[in-house]
Amino acid sequence: MLAGISGRVTMRTIILRCVSSLLTAILAFTAPGPKQVLAQTRSAGTLSLESYLDFIRVSDPQISPDGRQVAYVRSHVVKMEDRWESEIWIMDADGSNGQRLTQGSHPVWSPDGKRLAYVAQGEPEGSQIFVQDIGGSQVAVQITQVSKTPGSLVWSPDGGSLAFVMQVERAKEEHSFAGIVPPGMPNDAHWKDEPEVITRPRWQWDRIGTITGYDHIFVIPADGGVPRQLTEGKWNHGEPQWMPDGREILFSANRNEAHEYQRKHSEIYAVEVRTGAVRQLTHRPGPDANAVPSPDGRLIAYVGEDWAEQPYVNPYIYSDLHVYVMNRDGSGRREISGDFDRGIGMDPTLIQGSQLVWAPDGSGLYFNVQSEGTADLHFVSLSGGVHQVTEGYHRLATTSISRSGRAVGTISGIHQPEEVVTFTLDRPTALERISRANDALLSGVQLGDVEEIWYKSHDGLDIQGWIMKPPDFDPSRRYPLILTIHGGPESMYSVAFNFARQDHAANGYVVLYTNPRGSTGYGEKFVNEIMDNYPGEDFDDLMAGVDAVLAKGYVDERNLFVYGGSGGGVLTAWVVSHTDRFAAASANFGITNWISWVGTADIASSRPDRVSALGFGEPFWEDPSEYLRRSAIMYVDQVKTPTMLMGGVKDLRTPITQSEEFYQALQALRVPTVLVRFPDEWHGTSSAPSNFLRTQLYLQAWFKKWAR
């Protein structure tokens, strides 16, 4: 549809028209308020929402084995097709000679540094593996013709093969309805398709839909050929890593017969490349994963934890993962990270396909750690003990380390979007930024400044947060406040650049974002404060943060607004059902009814007797009291705040029915409300560029309407 629109009509114009149509329709059903202003109001020189369409995402930098070149991914918006497109760029390690290499993602250097493997669209269709010569002919060769998307590419030590993970379709399930055909179908009739019969406990996943197969490990010659499947069975296999001699590949999996009922369990295995023989290396309850062999192949490091499920009472106590090493045969297992009280493995940014990478001399391992809103590289010695390698008020995610000890990663700060950074392990304080993808876009743009705060909650617990102020901030004025709540709840707001919050600030809002109890980055005890207590005291943490900002004197307490998505949507619905201090709210793709969520969500469908990590007690059919006590829908008659609800129609994580239940109840109670259903979104509302713009405009339009 967009391709037929004149180039003089911008994406912003299209979105504004859509927003205008929607709000014109919904305003007729809500109480009268201030005149709706669709165009954003901001000072000259501040961030423009439309500039999001020119924003560049930088990710996955990989350094060549000799440390001389860096390949990384740049993603940009294809405006007329409303999607993101990824390209692989390459440059020297000092940032010079940067150039676009090809369309694609997930670059991986060959051991000799002369070739680059990556994934891109290929023939006859879909994602395929390519290998491109670097520095010579520059020829790219498609080496697969597969029907499913390959991932987790890893070169063999001799550079002759690649291992990867790909889904294999399940055999058609046997069930009691097999062979049942309705009688009387005329020849050439067009009857409805046969129903889908589900017999598995874990059968769907967000952004996938119905699960139709299992992930298995394959190998393929680097010059092309037929992929050879190494693993078999009704299990998912992942995280392949070659042993240095090339004879075996390490991986993690849960190969128990009851694996679909075990939410938190995996073991380390090794598969022989020649024969496909599999041997199990770890044996304990809990997750063991991300195995990486030492440079000499004598040891295997991995992350894991001891964990045993407890029926009904506190079924899951959150525990940070720890670093272990064992001998190649699985013997001699020992923990080396000691009492280090930060999450290892919670950062989604991985180092060279793993969350651990060995030091070139084999003396220990490097890994990324998130702590109190920042992220840095850490090192654990084989003799035991963790120390921090890099330091700074930033979010640094190290993604690759060369044999010479040069590292690359991405770095982001309050005013700096993610860019590629490099440093050497012997001089980790000398961080050098070598990409500048968004410098031109932000040149001359005045961004909002951020103040870090620590404050006491109702019980004396210390909570960290940040206040983002409008670019032309004047402390003598009174500003409207937006409280934004993160999801999870086991996640963390950080000091990284955030376009959405900067856009709010550019439109004259003070923005408060905090890490209430249950957030990661503060140790196990802080996370487990929500056990048997969610979402109750998170509410107290958030309200104490609002009070701390109000005490500064520059926020108009009549114009407080709140929103959040996922776990933030849970808490927003809880907020409006427990206080009327906010002028308006938007509870986005959250949970409002824990009983109905258990029966419909992808992450809960196989475990109706275990709800999230929150200790809800007995299954609801034995005792529904905890499920009801913690469901915002049970307090909906207390809601006075005009509340918008947004979500993806395809969402399987927090199904749109959760928002619809709350919306229907608010309608029945005559509370001003609007439901916004995004037809092509899964969990979230911003995967398409236009939907990110819509989300921002809907939020600010709703808040402006109910401004007091």
Side-chain angles (χ1 to χ4, degrees):
M1 179 181 73
L2 298 181
I5 299 175
S6 168
R8 291 173 295 183
V9 180
T10 66
M11 176 72 80
R12 177 180 173 82
T13 302
I14 298 167
I15 303 306
L16 285 173
R17 289 174 180 172
C18 294
V19 175
S20 179
S21 298
L22 173 75
L23 289 173
T24 298
I26 66 174
L27 293 181
F29 296 97
T30 55
K35 183 179 179 181
Q36 184 61 47
V37 181
L38 296 184
Q40 295 187 310
T41 55
R42 55 167 62 81
S43 301
T46 57
L47 188 69
S48 163
L49 181 60
E50 188 175 359
S51 64
Y52 181 79
L53 299 174
D54 298 313
F55 191 73
I56 303 294
R57 292 177 177 172
V58 172
S59 63
D60 202 13
Q62 299 293 321
I63 196 163
S64 61
D66 61 9
R68 295 182 178 180
Q69 291 182 295
V70 175
Y72 69 105
V73 177
R74 289 170 57 126
S75 301
H76 66 274
V77 174
V78 182
K79 297 180 184 179
M80 299 309 294
E81 298 177 18
D82 197 13
R83 63 179 178 85
W84 288 91
E85 180 173 276
S86 296
E87 299 175 334
I88 298 174
W89 284 57
I90 193 168
M91 59 184 167
D92 292 342
D94 62 0
S96 63
N97 298 320
Q99 60 180 305
R100 178 188 182 278
L101 187 67
T102 184
Q103 184 177 327
S105 60
H106 309 297
V108 186
W109 289 95
S110 64
D112 61 6
K114 295 180 179 180
R115 292 166 294 170
L116 200 68
Y118 58 91
V119 176
Q121 289 296 110
E123 299 294 336
E125 63 181 359
S127 297
Q128 305 293 337
I129 300 174
F130 290 76
V131 173
Q132 183 156 345
D133 180 58
I134 302 296
S137 65
Q138 296 285 324
V139 172
V141 178
Q142 179 181 326
I143 66 169
T144 61
Q145 287 188 322
V146 292
S147 58
K148 297 289 186 178
T149 300
S152 302
L153 311 186
V154 189
W155 286 89
S156 63
D158 64 3
S161 302
L162 284 155
F164 64 95
V165 174
M166 186 174 66
Q167 188 180 92
V168 176
E169 288 289 318
R170 288 179 165 127
K172 191 169 183 179
E173 290 185 291
E174 293 297 326
H175 51 78
S176 58
F177 304 137
I180 294 179
V181 179
M185 176 183 284
N187 292 335
D188 301 323
H190 298 285
W191 285 19
K192 298 297 183 183
D193 291 340
E194 182 180 347
E196 183 179 13
V197 179
I198 305 298
T199 62
R200 304 181 306 277
R202 184 173 296 170
W203 61 277
Q204 62 177 350
W205 201 249
D206 195 66
R207 300 193 181 277
I208 293 176
T210 302
I211 300 171
T212 61
Y214 299 99
D215 291 338
H216 285 285
I217 296 173
F218 292 77
V219 293
I220 188 172
D223 56 0
V226 178
R228 180 164 60 92
Q229 185 176 335
L230 289 185
T231 57
E232 302 284 348
K234 298 179 180 180
W235 306 289
N236 291 313
H237 306 75
E239 304 162 350
Q241 288 286 327
W242 292 82
M243 292 297 290
D245 59 13
R247 296 178 181 177
E248 291 182 307
I249 294 174
L250 303 173
F251 65 90
S252 66
N254 182 348
R255 291 166 62 96
N256 294 326
E257 287 302 317
H259 68 99
E260 290 191 301
Y261 292 93
Q262 295 174 325
R263 183 172 45 85
K264 190 176 170 65
H265 182 84
S266 62
E267 305 285 2
I268 305 296
Y269 297 84
V271 57
E272 188 175 4
V273 176
R274 184 177 63 85
T275 66
V278 173
R279 60 190 181 97
Q280 186 172 340
L281 300 177
T282 60
H283 303 78
R284 64 170 174 171
D288 288 325
N290 299 117
V292 285
S294 60
D296 61 9
R298 295 175 54 197
L299 297 174
I300 296 170
Y302 60 99
V303 296
E305 63 169 308
D306 287 309
W307 180 82
E309 191 169 40
Q310 306 171 48
Y312 304 146
V313 180
N314 289 355
Y316 170 46
I317 299 293
Y318 175 90
S319 177
D320 287 329
L321 299 178
H322 302 274
V323 181
Y324 296 81
V325 293
M326 61 183 169
N327 297 325
R328 178 170 181 159
D329 63 0
S331 65
R333 178 178 76 94
R334 59 191 174 96
E335 181 184 344
I336 60 174
S337 56
D339 59 358
F340 182 66
D341 191 25
R342 287 296 183 269
I344 298 170
M346 295 307 295
D347 193 325
T349 304
L350 310 183
I351 301 178
Q352 293 177 336
S354 172
Q355 291 164 322
L356 301 171
V357 63
W358 282 88
D361 62 2
S363 60
L365 298 111
Y366 293 93
F367 54 92
N368 294 317
V369 171
Q370 298 183 96
S371 180
E372 298 182 1
T374 65
D376 274 292
L377 187 67
H378 286 60
F379 179 79
V380 58
S381 169
L382 283 184
S383 59
V386 176
H387 75 265
Q388 187 169 331
V389 177
T390 61
E391 293 183 2
Y393 201 67
H394 53 223
R395 179 182 172 89
L396 171 67
T398 304
T399 51
S400 180
I401 300 175
S402 74
R403 289 193 293 261
S404 63
R406 177 167 289 277
V408 296
T410 57
I411 193 168
S412 179
I414 296 295
H415 292 157
Q416 178 187 298
E418 285 191 320
E419 297 284 1
V420 181
V421 66
T422 183
F423 59 94
T424 59
L425 297 178
D426 59 353
R427 292 188 62 207
T429 59
L431 300 175
E432 181 183 0
R433 184 158 71 97
I434 59 173
S435 75
R436 285 165 172 75
N438 290 296
D439 282 10
L441 181 69
L442 297 178
S443 177
V445 173
Q446 184 183 3
L447 297 172
D449 286 331
V450 173
E451 174 190 352
E452 178 182 325
I453 60 170
W454 286 84
Y455 59 91
K456 298 285 186 181
S457 188
H458 73 107
D459 57 354
L461 189 66
D462 290 319
I463 305 296
Q464 185 184 26
W466 295 267
I467 305 167
M468 181 176 289
K469 302 169 184 176
D472 54 355
F473 178 73
D474 178 353
S476 66
R477 290 180 52 192
R478 292 291 182 98
Y479 293 87
L481 172 78
I482 293 178
L483 168 66
T484 176
I485 310 173
H486 73 60
E490 294 161 347
S491 62
M492 180 188 80
Y493 275 142
S494 76
V495 300
F497 178 86
N498 183 275
F499 196 104
R501 290 195 292 268
Q502 286 287 353
D503 179 59
H504 294 325
N507 279 274
Y509 291 94
V510 168
V511 184
L512 171 64
Y513 50 108
T514 77
N515 286 329
R517 67 191 71 204
S519 301
T520 54
Y522 303 87
E524 292 184 16
K525 186 177 185 299
F526 189 87
V527 180
N528 287 317
E529 289 284 343
I530 61 171
M531 179 60 64
D532 297 323
N533 197 27
Y534 182 79
E537 287 189 296
D538 289 67
F539 169 78
D540 298 314
D541 297 346
L542 295 166
M543 295 306 101
V546 172
D547 292 338
V549 180
L550 287 174
K552 293 179 178 292
Y554 51 73
V555 168
D556 180 359
E557 63 181 346
R558 300 169 304 164
N559 284 296
L560 308 179
F561 305 94
V562 58
Y563 81 93
S566 195
V570 174
L571 285 167
T572 301
W574 190 264
V575 165
V576 298
S577 60
H578 286 75
T579 182
D580 61 359
R581 71 187 305 186
F582 291 92
S586 186
N588 304 333
F589 46 99
I591 301 166
T592 62
N593 182 340
W594 289 103
I595 291 180
S596 60
W597 179 79
V598 169
T600 55
D602 58 352
I603 58 175
S605 58
S606 65
R607 303 308 309 275
D609 58 335
R610 307 287 189 272
V611 178
S612 187
L614 308 173
F616 273 52
E618 290 83 356
F620 65 81
W621 53 83
E622 294 185 16
D623 182 0
S625 58
E626 283 299 297
Y627 298 78
L628 298 175
R629 183 176 71 85
R630 305 184 199 201
S631 295
I633 195 76
M634 300 305 296
Y635 309 91
V636 70
D637 60 330
Q638 300 178 29
V639 177
K640 307 300 180 185
T641 306
T643 302
M644 179 165 64
L645 300 112
M646 295 195 285
V649 173
K650 296 181 178 180
D651 192 344
L652 298 176
R653 187 62 42 84
T654 56
I656 190 69
T657 50
Q658 291 291 314
S659 297
E660 291 170 345
E661 287 186 43
F662 209 66
Y663 170 76
Q664 290 289 84
L666 291 175
Q667 284 283 10
L669 293 165
R670 302 296 193 269
V671 176
T673 183
V674 58
L675 174 68
V676 183
R677 304 170 81 249
F678 288 75
D680 294 318
E681 291 282 356
W682 296 83
H683 186 57
T685 62
S686 302
S687 64
S690 66
N691 283 346
F692 173 83
L693 303 183
R694 289 185 175 99
T695 298
Q696 290 295 103
L697 291 168
Y698 291 170
L699 284 170
Q700 291 170 24
W702 185 249
F703 294 162
K704 287 178 182 178
K705 172 177 175 53
W706 295 104
R708 296 164 176 166

